[in-house]
Amino acid sequence: MSNIMELFSQKLESTEGKEKIAALAGDWIRDKLREESFMRKIIPAQPISRNECQVSANHDTLIKMEQLEPHSRAMAMTFRGQPEARFIRAPRCEIPFFTISSEKFEKVEQELLAYGDMPITKIIEDNSGKDIQEIEDREGLRHVEAAVQALQAEANGVSIAPSLSASTLQGGSPPVEFSVAKGELARAATSNGYQPFAMQRPDLVRLFKLMDGNRLRMEMVLMTEVDYDDVLQWTVEDFGDKLQSETTVDGYKYNTLLGRPYTRTIKTDILRPGNIYGFAKPEFLGKFYVLNNTKFYIDKVANLITWQAWEDIAIGIVNIAAIRKLELYSGDATVNDADSIRSYVIPKDEEDLGAINNKVDKGLHFPQVSQF
């Protein structure tokens, strides 16, 4: 803490000082991203260099070309039989890179000194690291949602997935629930809405079956803390006597849920409550690359200090069949938005992320003492 304050206050005048600050802060930001991004738990991020990338033929942007597993099969035959011939080829796809940046933070040197021992690292981590990771997760989740909706549309033989709600499932021609399914309470609801119902044990089994029945296995479940809290309401019929007594005292403390690993997030403005996703192992799913790690820039012009952080990443959902989704609300969340609930169940806009909980700047702190 004192090291970076010293660099800020004494060494910003020199090129060497700027490089030391950038290197020191860059290390902290990069570690924070790896620790808190839920997308990195689903698809571990791989550092990549320029030499491992390719240049797109369509634009001035780097890409990473990915080779896909070729198809093959075996067959039974007689002693005199011959197998069918296959001219082999491995399909390919390209994953483009894009940049996520923090805001450009500015502060005049005289005002910065007024903060004394307040850690500049906190500003860097909270305002830069967490902002970057939120956009990282938001972009990744948008890819995930697009993948399940595309697969759902294909299974129903249309270009856009049909509306999926309690009323359509209870109707005469219900849509096929292939990559997206409604929870037990949601599908039985008498009206369509965006408020999530409590997650039931059979809901997770339904989610697992969506993938397990297609020669894949679900290996990671992603949910919000809000939906995970419903697990604590499961009864002795769900848990059994031993787990029920443990849960009452210590909560649910295991790393798997019904035998499957899971991860939780408090970022309910990105992964909205009522949406639960299941994923296969990363090798069946896609790739996540970070080009040259997170970068940090700092400069000083006269008495104005400016700094920002950014990263260049590529997230590609290559096998869309390796994702499934469970919806705990009864309304339609497809692009049709038949029930006008979509804005409540998809990630919020970038500028709306991270609502401020601390109301001190609005004068809401207690006790309040007026002085004259």
Side-chain angles (χ1 to χ4, degrees):
M1 185 185 305
S2 60
N3 289 339
I4 195 165
M5 287 300 296
E6 179 184 355
L7 288 170
F8 260 94
S9 60
Q10 297 181 11
K11 297 191 176 181
L12 270 172
E13 302 292 346
S14 66
T15 302
E16 180 184 3
K18 295 175 184 177
E19 291 176 352
K20 287 183 178 179
I21 296 173
L24 184 58
D27 285 343
W28 289 331
I29 293 172
R30 185 170 63 249
D31 290 339
K32 195 70 171 181
L33 283 170
R34 290 191 180 123
E35 179 184 357
E36 296 193 3
S37 169
F38 62 72
M39 281 305 301
R40 296 191 180 211
K41 298 177 183 177
I42 296 164
I43 310 178
Q46 302 178 34
I48 192 172
S49 67
R50 166 64 183 88
N51 295 334
E52 299 173 85
C53 301
Q54 295 79 39
V55 179
S56 174
N58 302 313
H59 45 76
D60 291 337
T61 304
L62 293 178
I63 62 167
K64 181 67 172 70
M65 190 67 70
E66 292 296 327
Q67 302 284 352
L68 280 65
E69 183 180 34
H71 183 66
S72 64
R73 71 183 186 91
M75 61 197 71
M77 65 183 70
T78 66
F79 288 159
R80 296 183 179 182
Q82 293 293 322
E84 294 180 2
R86 179 187 296 276
F87 192 85
I88 63 169
R89 66 175 295 271
R92 295 179 293 272
C93 70
E94 61 180 55
I95 304 177
F97 284 84
F98 63 98
T99 300
I100 301 177
S101 175
S102 70
E103 295 176 304
K104 183 178 291 186
F105 299 101
E106 297 180 341
K107 194 70 173 174
V108 294
E109 181 180 13
Q110 295 90 329
E111 293 182 358
L112 186 64
L113 295 176
Y115 287 87
D117 292 333
M118 179 180 178
I120 296 300
T121 58
K122 178 174 175 54
I123 299 174
I124 296 170
E125 289 177 353
D126 292 349
N127 295 338
S128 300
K130 290 183 179 179
D131 290 344
I132 289 175
Q133 80 175 2
E134 286 180 355
I135 303 304
E136 183 178 288
D137 286 343
R138 182 181 182 274
E139 290 299 312
L141 202 62
R142 290 176 65 235
H143 294 355
V144 167
E145 177 65 16
V148 296
Q149 293 299 338
L151 198 61
Q152 179 77 354
E154 181 187 63
N156 283 274
V158 292
S159 59
I160 297 177
S163 298
L164 182 63
S165 63
S167 59
T168 58
L169 289 173
Q170 295 167 16
S173 301
V176 175
E177 294 175 279
F178 186 78
S179 60
V180 185
K182 292 290 186 184
E184 291 288 324
L185 300 180
R187 65 195 306 110
T190 56
S191 61
N192 300 337
Y194 65 88
Q195 293 291 348
F197 292 88
M199 179 177 62
Q200 308 296 301
R201 179 170 174 157
D203 293 342
L204 288 178
V205 177
R206 181 187 298 272
L207 177 64
F208 299 160
K209 285 184 174 181
L210 289 179
M211 182 178 295
D212 295 351
N214 290 275
R215 302 190 70 170
L216 287 168
R217 188 178 191 277
M218 192 166 293
E219 295 289 348
M220 177 63 75
V221 176
L222 173 66
M223 66 181 74
T224 66
E225 286 284 355
V226 176
D227 294 321
Y228 169 79
D229 288 342
D230 290 331
V231 175
L232 304 180
Q233 300 188 81
W234 289 0
T235 66
V236 67
E237 295 179 354
D238 298 306
F239 279 136
D241 291 339
K242 180 177 181 293
L243 271 182
Q244 181 67 22
S245 60
E246 288 182 4
T247 304
T248 302
V249 178
D250 300 320
Y252 189 82
K253 57 184 180 181
Y254 297 94
N255 296 325
T256 60
L257 193 57
L258 303 186
R260 311 297 171 101
Y262 64 94
T263 187
R264 314 183 326 246
T265 177
I266 61 172
K267 288 177 276 193
T268 54
D269 45 5
I270 297 176
L271 177 62
R272 310 297 288 275
N275 294 296
I276 300 175
Y277 292 93
F279 305 89
K281 287 185 176 180
E283 56 263 37
F284 298 98
L285 179 56
K287 293 291 186 179
F288 187 156
Y289 294 110
V290 180
L291 183 62
N292 296 325
N293 297 316
T294 304
K295 294 182 179 293
F296 184 83
Y297 166 82
I298 186 167
D299 198 8
K300 179 181 178 184
V301 178
N303 67 335
L304 181 64
I305 300 171
T306 304
W307 72 95
Q308 72 180 86
W310 72 94
E311 66 176 6
D312 301 319
I313 67 170
I315 303 177
I317 305 299
V318 181
N319 183 5
I320 66 174
I323 309 173
R324 294 295 189 270
K325 181 187 180 187
L326 173 69
E327 296 176 348
L328 300 178
Y329 44 86
S330 57
D332 173 46
T334 67
V335 294
N336 301 306
D337 201 15
D339 304 310
S340 301
I341 70 162
R342 188 168 166 79
S343 62
Y344 298 97
V345 298
I346 64 172
K348 290 185 178 181
D349 294 336
E350 290 182 1
E351 59 270 21
D352 295 330
L353 297 180
I356 298 174
N357 291 318
N358 194 331
K359 307 298 183 181
V360 165
D361 280 346
K362 295 184 177 180
L364 298 179
H365 54 93
F366 303 92
Q368 296 185 11
V369 180
S370 299
Q371 293 181 334
F372 300 93

